[in-house]
Amino acid sequence: MRGGLTEAGPTPARGTIQAAITAMSVLAALALFVSACATGGTGARDEGPAHTDAMAGATAPPSAAPTDTPGRADAVQLIKDDPAVSAEVKRELKPCAGDEYPVDVSYGNLTGGSGNDLVVNVLTCGDLVGVGSYVYRESDGGYENVFKAEEPPVYAEIDRGDLVVTKQVYEKGDPVSNPSGENVITYRWAAGRFMKEFSWHNDYSNVGDGEPPAVPSEAG
């Protein structure tokens, strides 16, 4: 009480005006914030995409390790420089077109070494008959010939850690494209060399000599 009068609080009109001013201030501030984020002028997006900060502390994935595995050209040079390869095979090792050599190369662990072994098959250009198959083992920074088969037609490949050598069998009169069968020999590395594990023979069917079987006509 002052002078016998009771001090009244703000009038309803005055309170309404203050509330309106407060609400307008909040709306203005909110509009300014949204505008800054949308235009990229001074908002949080100035420093780049939002995921950049989240990834800053993550460890980057390791890059692919460099490999010294020889390519096709290196395999060709291995054959040319290898004194264990016969002169006949080296004569067959020539480009078929441009600088493309008839050489198949595969990689795998056949001998239990620290690196991949190389299986190299040398083919003829015309009919792609295998004239020589070789296995090279990594040794002292180079490659050592640990297997060879030079009785054509021959082809070597890796099968579940074993070396499988296929030799096609021709009877008199068989064309190159149609052998009578094949001998398949599986080798396994043991005691520092490839040991014969087992072998089998497959006879090819010569029914129709490659022609499709005749379809019987329907009875009238």
Side-chain angles (χ1 to χ4, degrees):
M1 301 227 6
R2 187 172 58 183
L5 298 176
T6 302
E7 185 174 359
T11 63
R14 183 179 177 186
T16 301
I17 293 173
Q18 288 178 342
I21 292 173
T22 302
M24 290 177 64
S25 299
V26 171
L27 290 174
L30 180 59
L32 179 61
F33 174 77
V34 172
S35 175
C37 290
T39 60
T42 57
R45 303 276 296 184
D46 285 353
E47 296 182 2
H51 65 78
T52 302
D53 293 338
M55 294 294 293
T59 303
S63 58
T67 176
D68 295 327
T69 302
R72 184 182 298 271
D74 299 309
V76 169
Q77 197 60 47
L78 273 175
I79 296 294
K80 288 182 175 181
D81 295 341
D82 188 354
V85 176
S86 68
E88 290 80 7
V89 171
K90 290 182 179 181
R91 278 197 298 268
E92 292 287 348
L93 188 58
K94 54 188 177 183
C96 298
D99 58 353
E100 292 295 326
Y101 283 83
V103 170
D104 284 348
V105 185
S106 55
Y107 313 89
N109 195 330
L110 288 169
T111 65
S114 58
N116 280 332
D117 302 303
L118 271 67
V119 177
V120 183
N121 288 284
V122 179
L123 315 172
T124 60
C125 284
D127 42 28
L128 297 180
V129 171
V131 296
S133 299
Y134 310 90
V135 178
Y136 290 92
R137 186 174 193 261
E138 188 174 359
S139 176
D140 297 329
Y143 283 89
E144 173 191 6
N145 186 329
V146 293
F147 179 89
K148 73 173 182 177
E150 295 181 329
E151 302 82 19
V154 61
Y155 196 89
E157 56 191 334
I158 301 170
D159 183 9
R160 291 169 291 184
D162 290 334
L163 176 67
V164 178
V165 178
T166 302
K167 299 180 179 181
Q168 292 179 325
V169 177
Y170 290 87
E171 294 181 358
K172 186 176 180 179
D174 286 344
V176 174
S177 60
N178 192 22
S180 295
E182 65 180 9
N183 293 322
V184 183
I185 307 171
T186 298
Y187 296 90
R188 185 163 296 171
W189 184 262
R193 64 191 183 97
F194 282 105
M195 306 285 289
K196 182 177 177 180
E197 189 76 5
F198 47 83
S199 63
W200 65 93
H201 174 81
N202 294 325
D203 278 323
Y204 298 153
S205 172
N206 59 1
V207 175
D209 293 328
E211 295 294 329
V215 179
S217 60
E218 297 182 2

